[in-house]
Amino acid sequence: MKDFFELNRNLKLRILMTFIGVMTFSTIGSSMTIYYNEYLGAGMTGLLLIISSTISFLVGIWAGHFTDLQGRRRTMILGMIASAFGAALATFANSPVLFNPWLTFIGLVFSSFGFGFFNAGASAMMVDITTPADRKIVFSLNYWTLNVGVAVGSGLSGWLFRDHLFLLLLLVFVSDLINLLIVALLIEETFDPRLHVEHQETNIIKAYIQVSKDKTFMLYLLATLFVTMLFQQMDYFIPVHLSNNFKTSSLFGLEIYGQRMLTIMAILNTCMVVLLLSTVRKSTQHWSNKRGFVFGAGLMGVGFAIVCFGDSMIWEIIGAILNVSGELIFVPFEQSLRADMMDPEQVGVYTGAFTAIQPMAQIICGLLVTLSPLYGHIGMGIILLVVTILAIIPAVSAITRYEKRLTI
């Protein structure tokens, strides 16, 4: 907590907003897939998820450019207004007055649009007011807060989603209003576009072409794409694997089948992050960037591969522990490096490029799940090891180029 209270006020408010937003949205987030499947059918649900990922990709690209031209605070305010409107629409569509799943989807699309804009401005702001010396601490605290928020929100979802969706959506709406007030009344602007006019490219296509010419950054972006594919496995292949291949066992007299094993792994992940992130960060703070990235990503990849290879509780737990251990090492290094490599005059556009990575990884992971009957869980484990290598190679090259550039 001492690290938190020593931060710049904007950073403290940003971390507070992370907790409020993530905690409340986690009460509905992943469960909405079940909602769409129940009321709109599996085929339409798949289509809606593709549409949502595509919108997230486009919004991330646009919002990154927008925040460089209009400033961080204005981008965040616009995002929170859109998000609050979307949450209000979804709440109304599940109220005692009306029930309409289609209107719910439209509302959550607006909410996703708003979050994309808010996140672009907020992420760029964090880069503006941090330095290479304190970024590991700041990003670790933000990541820790995010995990606590997900844990609390997911717990509420498990108890309330089925019977009290209206109240959960109302909670999301209220949290958006609170975050909007925080931005409007307390957040200070960290980037005045008027002072950087000569460095700004008003054409969005030309702006991203400029970014694409940064070879060091593009190598790191490629590495991030493969790493993001690893992070996505808990939402994509792992549930399928546990459902199809996990051998039911018992723990203290409680039957453990695939779905419960997934829950145990999720709880283990959250507990390790919440309890150990600060300790691991301090233990690895003197490591080189290459060592932190390679060791962290390597452990994550091996951990997920073991989860895929295994079909019993002991192997799933061993794989999960290795995976989360790698994550604890990896996240502070990865997020700090990401910020360090950005051009200070185009932080928004660089952030937009990173934002676009997640929906791209989601699409690839979806295809891997679709094709998984061809190669099975052993084949998927091998694929994840290859993905890990494909992440490490360009990352090492990018970090080498970046560190060489610093010495010139």
Side-chain angles (χ1 to χ4, degrees):
M1 292 300 291
K2 178 184 176 183
D3 289 337
F4 175 79
F5 287 112
E6 291 177 349
L7 295 177
N8 170 285
R9 188 179 77 159
N10 268 17
L11 291 174
K12 286 187 283 192
L13 290 171
R14 168 67 176 110
I15 291 172
L16 173 63
M17 293 172 72
T18 293
F19 176 76
I20 293 172
V22 169
M23 186 271 289
T24 55
F25 192 78
S26 293
T27 63
I28 63 166
S30 58
S31 297
M32 290 309 298
T33 301
I34 299 172
Y35 173 95
Y36 294 138
N37 184 60
E38 180 177 354
Y39 295 111
L40 300 176
M44 185 56 66
T45 297
L47 180 60
L48 294 181
L49 292 176
I50 292 172
I51 292 172
S52 181
S53 294
T54 303
I55 291 173
S56 297
F57 173 82
L58 296 174
V59 169
I61 294 291
W62 180 22
H65 186 239
F66 185 90
T67 196
D68 277 344
L69 296 181
Q70 299 297 326
R72 316 311 188 205
R73 186 171 172 274
R74 181 177 295 182
T75 306
M76 293 166 71
I77 288 176
L78 175 62
M80 290 317 308
I81 291 173
S83 187
F85 172 77
L89 199 61
T91 303
F92 177 65
N94 291 271
S95 68
V97 178
L98 175 71
F99 177 74
N100 190 318
W102 288 105
L103 192 59
T104 302
F105 175 72
I106 292 172
L108 293 181
V109 165
F110 269 102
S111 186
S112 178
F113 172 92
F115 176 75
F117 261 72
F118 167 79
N119 192 52
S123 297
M125 182 195 75
M126 289 183 73
V127 176
D128 292 339
I129 54 180
T130 55
T131 65
D134 62 16
R135 279 176 183 149
K136 288 187 178 70
I137 296 174
V138 172
F139 289 124
S140 293
L141 284 170
N142 195 60
Y143 187 69
W144 183 89
T145 304
L146 185 150
N147 275 271
V148 173
V150 168
V152 175
S154 298
L156 289 173
S157 179
W159 284 101
L160 302 174
F161 184 86
R162 189 187 68 177
D163 300 319
H164 302 285
L165 178 58
F166 170 69
L167 292 178
L168 293 181
L169 287 167
L170 186 61
L171 180 64
V172 173
F173 171 63
V174 171
S175 75
D176 282 348
L177 289 182
I178 292 172
N179 279 343
L180 175 59
L181 289 174
I182 290 175
V183 177
L185 301 178
L186 300 175
I187 291 289
E188 298 174 355
E189 181 60 81
T190 60
F191 183 86
D192 187 346
R194 294 171 298 180
L195 303 179
H196 303 267
V197 174
E198 68 276 13
H199 300 286
Q200 301 303 325
E201 175 54 68
T202 56
N203 184 296
I204 188 170
I205 295 176
K206 291 182 179 179
Y208 280 99
I209 288 176
Q210 285 182 358
V211 171
S212 70
K213 293 178 181 177
D214 185 340
K215 297 294 191 298
T216 301
F217 175 78
M218 293 306 293
L219 281 168
Y220 195 72
L221 194 65
L222 178 62
T224 304
L225 172 63
F226 290 116
V227 170
T228 305
M229 288 174 60
L230 295 177
F231 275 106
Q232 294 294 324
Q233 293 310 308
M234 284 296 288
D235 293 324
Y236 282 83
F237 182 76
I238 301 304
V240 175
H241 164 58
L242 294 176
S243 176
N244 294 339
N245 304 300
F246 183 73
K247 294 178 181 177
T248 301
S249 56
S250 63
L251 181 64
F252 304 119
L254 178 66
E255 183 183 33
I256 306 297
Y257 48 85
Q259 180 61 46
R260 283 182 175 170
M261 189 67 240
L262 183 65
T263 302
I264 290 172
M265 291 169 66
I267 293 171
L268 178 64
N269 184 303
T270 301
C271 289
M272 286 183 66
V273 170
V274 171
L275 296 175
L276 300 176
L277 182 60
S278 178
T279 301
V280 172
R281 177 184 59 77
K282 290 176 181 177
S283 299
T284 60
Q285 62 184 342
H286 298 300
W287 285 19
S288 68
N289 287 324
K290 284 181 189 175
R291 184 182 179 188
F293 191 105
V294 172
F295 204 77
L299 274 178
M300 285 171 58
V302 170
F304 273 128
I306 289 174
V307 169
C308 291
F309 292 148
D311 58 7
S312 63
M313 183 186 299
I314 184 65
W315 286 111
E316 304 305 324
I317 290 178
I318 289 172
I321 290 174
L322 287 175
N323 166 54
V324 183
S325 299
E327 185 179 329
L328 291 171
I329 295 169
F330 176 81
V331 167
F333 284 96
E334 189 278 327
Q335 294 193 350
S336 180
L337 274 166
R338 176 189 304 190
D340 293 346
M341 290 186 185
M342 294 180 183
D343 182 344
E345 301 291 344
Q346 292 182 292
V347 167
V349 179
Y350 276 74
T351 300
F354 272 112
T355 302
I357 285 296
Q358 182 161 336
M360 290 173 62
Q362 289 172 338
I363 292 170
I364 297 172
C365 289
L367 289 173
L368 288 174
V369 171
T370 301
L371 297 173
S372 62
L374 297 177
Y375 39 76
H377 63 104
I378 300 297
M380 189 64 185
I382 295 172
I383 289 173
L384 292 182
L385 291 175
V386 172
V387 166
T388 303
I389 294 170
L390 292 176
I392 289 173
I393 292 173
V396 169
S397 178
I399 294 169
T400 300
R401 292 170 62 104
Y402 168 70
E403 292 177 344
K404 187 179 295 185
R405 192 167 65 193
L406 291 179
T407 60
I408 296 176

